Amino acid sequence: NFPEDTKHEPLQVILLPTRDDSSFGIPRDVLVQSGNTDFEIRGCSPARHTVEIGPHPGSYLKGISFNQTDALQSAIDLSSGGRSEITITLSAGGGEVTGTVNAGTGEAASRVVLIPADLPRYSSVEVPVAAVTPGGGFRIADVSPGRYCALASPRSSVDWRNPALIAELQPRCEAVKVDEGSHTTVTLK
């Protein structure tokens, strides 16, 4: 479901088998064409999957349901086979987080990440990431309402769902609350 009165590009939907599943398979990509919100995925491995979606400027991921059950905070289970229904809901009016990263004596930060509070290991909740400009600024738009841990990192590619990594980085986090349509400014180290 796309927000009303918004133009949208085709949406990429990815079913990614969870790595703890013994039948780990290949992710399946599907494009939902503009104006047609139905999609079909064939040949998925009968396993647990997370649902991930590609870029969707101007909106945030509001919800995912699997067979009419909330699936935003958990993996979906396709192990029984058969036909299933996935509904993806996007909403306009997400929040925005901007700010600066103060350079310290360590390695310079190249990314800012907003790690959702209580992020389940296997969920479809988005983890917003933005590049840091040479001047130390950053901007993350279309952020889902909620509480986040804002973190500046020199790492460009990290599994932000890794609980051990999050626990290690927790002392460096800055708590951020994002409301629908809000603008929040934060300074990170």
Side-chain angles (χ1 to χ4, degrees):
N1 298 336
F2 292 95
E4 291 184 27
D5 300 327
T6 62
K7 294 181 181 179
H8 57 274
E9 297 296 318
L11 180 67
Q12 182 181 42
V13 178
I14 304 166
L15 290 186
L16 185 63
T18 60
R19 295 193 188 274
D20 67 342
D21 195 301
S22 60
S23 59
F24 184 79
I26 300 170
R28 306 287 189 222
D29 294 351
V30 176
L31 292 180
V32 178
Q33 297 299 320
S34 179
N36 177 5
T37 59
D38 296 332
F39 61 93
E40 186 171 299
I41 302 171
R42 295 180 182 262
C44 287
S45 60
R48 289 171 22 98
H49 295 71
T50 57
V51 179
E52 298 191 8
I53 62 174
H56 44 94
S59 62
Y60 68 90
L61 178 60
K62 186 171 187 171
I64 295 178
S65 67
F66 175 67
N67 293 332
Q68 300 181 348
T69 301
D70 182 25
L72 187 61
Q73 298 284 333
S74 61
I76 62 171
D77 189 353
L78 300 177
S79 62
S80 63
R83 190 168 179 83
S84 298
E85 181 180 307
I86 299 172
T87 302
I88 298 169
T89 304
L90 303 177
S91 181
E96 179 180 70
V97 178
T98 60
T100 55
V101 177
N102 290 335
T105 57
E107 191 175 359
S110 63
R111 298 277 185 269
V112 169
V113 62
L114 296 178
I115 303 170
D118 304 320
L119 176 67
R121 175 72 173 146
Y122 296 113
S123 74
S124 299
V125 174
E126 296 178 303
V127 178
V129 178
V132 176
T133 67
F138 68 90
R139 176 181 177 269
I140 304 175
D142 306 321
V143 179
S144 297
R147 296 186 182 282
Y148 294 86
C149 159
L151 176 70
S153 173
R155 303 174 187 182
S156 60
S157 179
V158 174
D159 179 5
W160 295 114
R161 297 178 193 278
N162 180 331
L165 176 64
I166 292 172
E168 173 189 327
L169 298 174
Q170 190 71 33
R172 294 183 23 215
C173 286
E174 183 72 33
V176 175
K177 183 176 184 288
V178 177
D179 294 316
E180 191 164 274
S182 69
H183 178 97
T184 304
T185 303
V186 63
T187 300
L188 302 173
K189 297 177 186 178

